[in-house]
Amino acid sequence: MTPAQQSRAGSIRVFLLDDHEVVRRGLRDLLSEESDIVVVGEAGRADEAIADIIMLRPDVAVLDARLQEGSGIEVCRHVRSHDPEIACLILTSFDDEDALFTAIMAGAAGYVLKQIRGTALVDAVRQVAAGQSLLDPAVTSRVLFRLREGPVEDERLAGLTDQERRILALIAEGLTNRQIAARMFLAEKTVKNYVSSMLSKLGMESRTQAAVFATKLSS
């Protein structure tokens, strides 16, 4: 793609994140057929995507929610905290209310299933580029209710920081410190320190105890 094409006046600049090359190619071909849309970059990994999106400053970042390493929702959170002008559209294979809740909290402008028709995806990109929200009102109302009411929380969680809570959830998924570090874009030593602090606050001695505890909380 030439610089002239990338800077086409009035075009919507889009960045793609998906760890499947065939999917990325299909999205790129679909969007590039539109005269008002230009794909300015793409990535298959979350860390690459964050750096490239911040550098390229697209109008819309189309992000796969679940990656082999990392998550499009985490990318959305990082990007939006750095540049709130970039609209993030989360693309996923799963109709998952918890993921939707996390996406909304991360600042996503839209959340669509990969089963969406091509023309509908193109429309979705245009809508979020125009500053509109693509979140279903019925689902959004459930999320807002969850925010207002909140779940009954175990008192032992009160002393944990947000980072420690996220790490506790990832331990429950069976992730190692190295995998958690990759998922959260932290140094492995930093994760180890968080885990030690978290176990101390919970009054536990092992990751296994913490994993069982977290699993019971979510059941």
Side-chain angles (χ1 to χ4, degrees):
M1 184 180 300
T2 67
Q5 287 176 310
Q6 291 188 5
S7 59
R8 228 164 34 213
S11 61
I12 299 170
R13 303 173 74 253
V14 177
F15 188 94
L16 304 174
L17 167 63
D18 196 295
D19 53 9
H20 293 92
E21 183 181 357
V22 172
V23 174
R24 287 202 315 275
R25 183 177 300 176
L27 290 171
R28 183 178 67 239
D29 292 346
L30 171 70
L31 296 173
S32 297
E33 289 179 356
E34 304 300 317
S35 60
D36 61 335
I37 297 177
V38 176
V39 177
V40 296
E42 59 182 78
R45 289 172 35 186
D47 55 348
E48 294 174 346
I50 290 173
D52 290 348
I53 292 170
I54 290 173
M55 178 183 67
L56 293 169
R57 299 191 72 244
D59 300 301
V60 179
V62 180
L63 310 172
D64 186 7
R66 301 191 182 192
L67 307 168
Q68 291 182 3
E69 293 187 13
S71 144
I73 296 174
E74 285 296 323
V75 173
C76 173
R77 181 178 291 108
H78 280 269
V79 167
R80 295 280 298 172
S81 65
H82 182 85
D83 189 345
E85 295 298 313
I86 299 173
C88 294
L89 181 62
I90 305 297
L91 194 60
T92 180
S93 303
F94 307 94
D95 187 4
D96 182 343
E97 186 173 322
D98 284 338
L100 173 57
F101 175 82
T102 307
I104 292 176
M105 296 301 294
Y111 184 95
V112 294
L113 296 178
K114 285 187 176 180
Q115 293 89 330
I116 191 173
R117 294 176 64 87
T119 53
L121 179 59
V122 171
D123 287 342
V125 168
R126 290 185 177 126
Q127 288 180 53
V128 297
Q132 300 175 31
S133 173
L134 263 183
L135 300 168
D136 184 281
V139 177
T140 304
S141 66
R142 295 202 301 271
V143 172
L144 292 175
F145 176 81
R146 181 169 165 179
L147 281 172
R148 286 194 302 268
E149 302 298 323
V152 177
E153 184 173 89
D154 189 293
E155 60 183 15
R156 285 173 289 181
L157 293 175
L160 301 186
T161 66
D162 289 342
Q163 286 283 65
E164 288 168 347
R165 290 178 186 229
R166 282 193 284 270
I167 288 172
L168 177 61
L170 294 175
I171 287 176
E173 290 182 23
L175 272 63
T176 64
N177 284 355
R178 178 171 297 180
Q179 291 170 325
I180 292 173
R183 178 79 63 90
M184 297 182 68
F185 309 105
L186 297 171
E188 188 174 352
K189 184 177 180 180
T190 301
V191 172
K192 184 177 180 180
N193 291 338
Y194 273 126
V195 171
S196 296
S197 172
M198 178 197 67
L199 291 176
S200 176
K201 290 177 181 179
L202 292 175
M204 298 176 182
E205 297 180 356
S206 70
R207 292 167 61 94
T208 302
Q209 286 178 295
V212 171
F213 170 68
T215 302
K216 287 181 178 178
L217 287 178
S218 60
S219 61

